[in-house]
Amino acid sequence: MEVQQYKNKVIKLNIGEESFTTTTNTLMKRDHDSLLYILASDYILYNVSNDKSNFQQHTDYGQTIFIDRNGDYFHVILNYLQNGTIDITSMVHNQHDGIHILNDAKYYKLTGLISLLLNSEKMRNNLSQYSTNSTNTHPNDDGDIEE
């Protein structure tokens, strides 16, 4: 099979024991240096090549991509990938939501989403409230903000 046949292939993701179904096209739509873009590219290569070694570390034999990450906010990530934007007003209900979504965007290296979040007035307000309300916050090894 050729690469073109896998450009819009349905792909399953297991993120923190939560299942998501999307397409390779969606995962490759934005932020071409992102982890999700790379995983989708690897998925396509896995299906068109005889060399399966690189991809199997992330999957159960090409069926489902496993990402060892909390999946609570991944729907926001998918929304961004599908539409190029997110409705911050409806998706960020409090400063904790904002911090988790920003941390996920950083983890997946979604620079466009990081920019959208940091340029949002609501997010800036939530982040400033979070930093003034929480005196014991610090970044962990992944760059995530922890309490």
Side-chain angles (χ1 to χ4, degrees):
M1 277 192 188
E2 64 181 56
V3 171
Q4 214 46 28
Q5 291 177 287
Y6 286 93
K7 285 287 187 178
N8 206 26
K9 183 98 170 135
V10 171
I11 191 168
K12 294 178 184 177
L13 304 166
N14 176 341
I15 302 171
E17 297 301 315
E18 290 190 49
S19 295
F20 297 89
T21 304
T22 187
T23 64
T24 52
N25 188 47
T26 295
L27 295 179
M28 297 174 75
K29 205 170 192 178
R30 311 194 189 289
D31 300 310
H32 296 165
D33 292 331
S34 76
L35 173 63
L36 298 171
Y37 184 96
I38 292 166
L39 287 174
S41 297
D42 284 353
Y43 176 85
I44 291 169
L45 291 174
Y46 174 88
N47 284 287
V48 297
S49 87
N50 292 325
D51 181 12
K52 312 291 188 196
S53 59
N54 186 37
F55 192 73
Q56 287 180 345
Q57 63 186 334
H58 302 292
T59 71
D60 53 356
Y61 305 103
Q63 300 303 310
T64 303
I65 295 176
F66 173 76
I67 299 173
D68 191 11
R69 186 87 179 161
N70 187 321
D72 289 347
Y73 296 94
F74 193 74
H75 66 281
V76 177
I77 301 294
L78 279 180
N79 188 291
Y80 162 73
L81 291 172
Q82 292 163 341
N83 303 312
T85 189
I86 63 168
D87 183 0
I88 293 172
T89 305
S90 67
M91 293 185 179
V92 179
H93 303 291
N94 57 54
Q95 66 258 26
H96 297 286
D97 288 346
I99 293 294
H100 288 290
I101 294 167
L102 182 59
N103 284 339
D104 279 356
K106 288 178 180 179
Y107 177 82
Y108 294 115
K109 299 179 181 159
L110 295 166
T111 55
L113 180 55
I114 293 167
S115 181
L116 280 173
L117 292 169
L118 293 178
N119 288 320
S120 157
E121 186 176 336
K122 181 173 183 173
M123 275 295 294
R124 283 195 306 272
N125 291 339
N126 281 338
L127 291 172
S128 67
Q129 287 175 4
Y130 187 79
S131 63
T132 58
N133 290 341
S134 181
T135 57
N136 294 326
T137 61
H138 59 278
N140 66 17
D141 292 338
D142 292 332
D144 293 350
I145 300 170
E146 294 181 334
E147 296 183 73

